[in-house]
Amino acid sequence: MMVIAKWRRYTMLCYNLKLQYKSLRKLGTKEDDRDKKNESLENRMAILNAEIYSHTSHDDFFAFAYNADDENIDFAIGIWPDKVSVLKVKKIIINEADKTYGAEEISASPISEITTKEYGQMLEDADNRDYLKRSARKNKRDLDFDFYGNSYFKLNETVVTNEKLSKKEAVCRAREIMADVTLFDELDRIYAKGNARKFYGYPVHYCISSGNRDSGMEIIKLLVQMLYSQGRLLSSRVNLISQIKEGCYDESDLEHICKHADGAAIVIDMRGSDENHGNYAQSYKRVIRYFSELVEGYCEKTLFFFLEECENPGFAKELLIKTDDFMDRIEIHEGAGNREEALAYLDYLAKESTFYKFKDESLENYLQAERKVYKCYDVHAAFNKWTREVLKNKVYSSYKECKCIVKKEEKKKKKSAYKELQEMVGLSEVKALADQIVASYKMQSIRDGYGLKDGGISKHMVFTGNPGSAKTTVARLLTDILTEEGVLKTGALVECGRADLVGQYVGWTAREVRDKFKEASGGVLFIDEAYSLVDDRRSFGAEAINTIVQEMENHRDDVIVIFAGYPDKMADFLDQNEGLRSRIAFHIDFPDYNGEELTDILKLMAKNRGLKLDNKAIEKCKNICEKACIEKEFGNGRFVRNLLEQAVLKQSQRLYSTYKDKEIPKSSVEKLLVSDFDVNLSDACLKKKANEIGFAV
């Protein structure tokens, strides 16, 4: 378990300051005046920085000059806000610059906040120019600013603005970005008169639900500016953590980022990386736990935004569930508007960009055709398309006639889950069960319409059967069917096993089980090999079973639990808790397939892959399948899938040898011959030689 230090003080806030001076005083005959004239720029800057550093007390600030010419001096200022104010440091800098340069008049531009990355670069510039004496020198490592080169995530650090917004201005800004009512409600809370105008901590954090990251970040930037204006944030700096990969927990960089975001904001883009990770709940398990511990350790002094993309939520649901116990969140949704409002928002985005001078009447043509409602996502999509066209046609006009070829794949219409289940071979009992549950749900709705009370029917199930008998496939299809028919609210399907439910330490198991039920809220919790929770090693399996029984009752109306496993072992599992068996409404046995059914499954698999089998090949497959059925644990559907895979490999070898570098006809690629099924798989299965090539359990 990760241990996070509890910091007693705020971390450094970074600023930039520019001084302008007109001319040096007229030199007298004093020796020190002559020395000042002869001093090199580097020496004078080093002296100035040393004098500024002499005012530092117990690391309350670290400021230095990093750039200078005959009229200007640029400073970077880092302060610990609980120790000193930036205005006090500014006064020290002006006084020391006046003494060191002997200027007639010094003026200062407004102080602006900068990112830690910018501050670190300025520190390197000063060091490279020999502006820092050894006694007044610090580097990025001393300040813990060396956390930008991590390959397990991407960090974008930005400062929103230092300008303060009145409530009236905030309302106007919210309207400009077509804000949802959830944002206007939070705006009223932020500007409420009863609130303190000083930073004490965060009563709530935020979950931002949007169509894409750009529209979500617009909402976040406005929230940050409003909170900063009301003294609810010490800094308007925002750290966006995105493209999160597995392995991020092996480095300390994320901890450093959180440490340096005290009084500021961190945005967690919960889509994960662009790689295909399949089921985020499984593959990102350690990532989710690591981030939940980070958030728990730093949420008192760091404002967290959880950015959720509607079409690509990634590991959002799992992470949000993990943080429910220790923080309160407000959910802000992406807004929408009519065409006039969408065009105004599009114009606002163009005005804020570097391409506004290229804007003309054609801008509105990039918004989709006339519609009643436009989401913020639609506006950002139009804006992105416009910027691409501007770059190609106006900024770099030599690409104006360049045509890019984009291949569009035709999307096949997806079958309904019900039709897909009906087309599966066998499984008559399961098909009848789907009809029974749907009919029961619809009748319950009819009874409710007549005012008749219905206690509700428990829908928990047990699937028993040998490997490859389609238990998992049916659970997925059944979830989709019940969602399509309105039985399930969310259609969530959470697949898990012992490793996902049993914790490593005392107290973890019950929490893990409850989290899985939360993830499955409005859907199905599928527990595969449930019998593995039964053990004699005094581990936490019994605790998991007891908690499952309790949560089955707590979530009786919003979660369907499906237990799956071998028939004989599942009987022992159901005997582990007196209340477990009584809560199971349906017990479905998945029998082993016979030779004819396995052959039908193979033909269906081949058809779905665009492959054809001649009569001789089908007959041979039937003989192989009938022999396989005689043996125990032959694999059922898995056996057939592996048989087909081996046949495809054999076909590939045959075609490559036959045609070599010649073009292979499509008819040959589509056809599997009887010789392609002369594979090692059948012999390996029947003789139970696990080491034979082509055999997979």
Side-chain angles (χ1 to χ4, degrees), residues 339-607:
R339 185 170 180 82
E340 183 180 351
E341 292 168 326
L343 287 173
Y345 187 17
L346 183 58
D347 184 71
Y348 165 79
L349 292 176
K351 194 172 184 179
E352 293 294 307
S353 74
T354 57
F355 303 111
Y356 192 64
K357 64 181 179 181
F358 298 103
K359 174 184 173 293
D360 56 30
E361 293 78 11
S362 66
L363 178 62
E364 66 180 63
N365 296 333
Y366 289 89
L367 200 61
Q368 293 179 7
E370 189 69 37
R371 290 162 50 182
K372 290 184 178 180
V373 177
Y374 294 86
K375 299 287 288 183
C376 291
Y377 168 81
D378 299 321
V379 179
H380 279 273
F383 171 72
N384 291 334
K385 186 177 180 180
W386 174 72
T387 55
R388 290 198 305 271
E389 292 297 318
V390 167
L391 277 170
K392 191 171 71 170
N393 297 331
K394 296 184 178 180
V395 180
Y396 304 108
S397 56
S398 62
Y399 293 92
K400 188 173 183 178
E401 302 301 325
C402 180
K403 301 295 182 182
C404 298
I405 300 174
V406 180
K407 291 184 178 180
K408 293 184 178 180
E409 295 183 0
E410 293 185 6
K411 292 185 177 179
K412 295 182 179 179
K413 190 175 181 181
K414 188 179 178 182
K415 296 179 184 177
S416 72
Y418 183 83
K419 186 175 181 180
E420 193 171 344
L421 177 62
Q422 296 302 319
E423 289 179 355
M424 290 185 72
V425 177
L427 306 174
S428 57
E429 188 178 356
V430 177
K431 295 172 184 177
L433 171 67
D435 292 334
Q436 186 179 349
I437 294 177
V438 171
S440 170
Y441 175 79
K442 290 184 175 180
M443 282 304 301
Q444 183 176 333
S445 299
I446 293 172
R447 291 189 185 97
D448 290 341
Y450 286 116
L452 301 175
K453 292 184 178 181
D454 192 325
I457 301 173
S458 174
K459 304 180 186 72
H460 304 309
M461 311 174 199
V462 168
F463 287 179
T464 57
N466 289 323
S469 54
K471 298 186 295 296
T472 303
T473 301
V474 168
R476 293 169 181 168
L477 289 175
L478 196 56
T479 301
D480 291 340
I481 292 169
L482 298 180
T483 303
E484 292 168 3
E485 295 293 339
V487 178
L488 299 176
K489 293 180 181 178
T490 66
L493 173 63
V494 177
E495 300 178 29
C496 60
R498 178 188 171 88
D500 305 296
L501 299 172
V502 176
Q504 295 178 330
Y505 306 101
V506 175
W508 281 26
T509 297
R511 184 175 65 182
E512 293 287 351
V513 172
R514 285 195 291 268
D515 285 349
K516 288 301 174 187
F517 271 86
K518 288 179 182 178
E519 289 177 36
S521 179
V524 171
L525 178 62
F526 180 75
I527 304 176
D528 199 12
E529 297 183 355
Y531 54 81
S532 63
L533 295 172
V534 180
D535 53 57
D536 300 321
R537 295 171 294 170
R538 291 191 175 183
S539 63
F540 304 111
E543 181 185 358
I545 294 173
N546 293 336
T547 309
I548 288 170
V549 172
Q550 180 182 347
E551 292 301 305
M552 287 171 70
E553 188 62 30
N554 294 341
H555 294 270
R556 176 188 177 92
D557 297 325
D558 67 335
V559 175
I560 295 176
V561 181
I562 301 178
F563 301 99
Y566 299 124
D568 52 346
K569 294 184 178 181
M570 288 302 292
D572 294 336
F573 167 72
L574 294 174
D575 290 335
Q576 294 299 305
N577 186 291
E578 294 179 0
L580 182 57
R581 191 183 294 272
S582 64
R583 286 175 170 80
I584 305 298
F586 304 97
H587 189 135
I588 309 300
D589 182 57
F590 287 69
D592 290 336
Y593 294 102
N594 59 37
E596 186 175 347
E597 288 174 330
L598 288 176
T599 306
D600 289 339
I601 291 172
L602 186 138
K603 289 192 291 184
L604 183 61
M605 287 182 175
K607 180 182 177 182

Side-chain angles (χ1 to χ4, degrees), residues 70-168:
D70 292 337
E71 296 181 349
N72 302 284
I73 312 174
D74 295 319
F75 293 87
I77 303 173
I79 68 163
W80 282 269
D82 57 332
K83 296 289 185 179
V84 68
S85 71
V86 68
L87 294 178
K88 182 178 179 180
V89 177
K90 176 183 176 181
K91 186 176 180 181
I92 291 171
I93 290 173
I94 292 174
N95 289 338
E96 292 302 333
D98 184 37
K99 287 192 293 183
T100 304
Y101 273 73
E104 286 185 348
E105 183 179 342
I106 292 181
S107 61
S109 62
I111 294 176
S112 59
E113 188 175 2
I114 58 176
T115 66
T116 56
K117 188 172 185 178
E118 290 171 323
Y119 183 90
Q121 185 58 56
M122 294 169 181
L123 184 57
E124 284 187 357
D125 291 344
D127 207 15
N128 293 336
R129 292 167 178 161
D130 293 327
Y131 290 173
L132 296 171
K133 290 184 176 181
R134 181 170 296 181
S135 59
R137 179 176 294 168
K138 289 183 184 289
N139 57 40
K140 289 195 292 185
R141 182 167 294 181
D142 296 329
L143 299 169
D144 261 346
F145 283 178
D146 54 341
F147 45 71
Y148 292 94
N150 199 297
S151 60
Y152 293 107
F153 63 87
K154 183 177 181 181
L155 175 65
N156 288 326
E157 191 183 19
T158 184
V159 173
V160 173
T161 182
N162 290 125
E163 296 179 8
K164 302 251 179 119
L165 277 181
S166 66
K167 183 176 181 179
K168 185 177 180 180

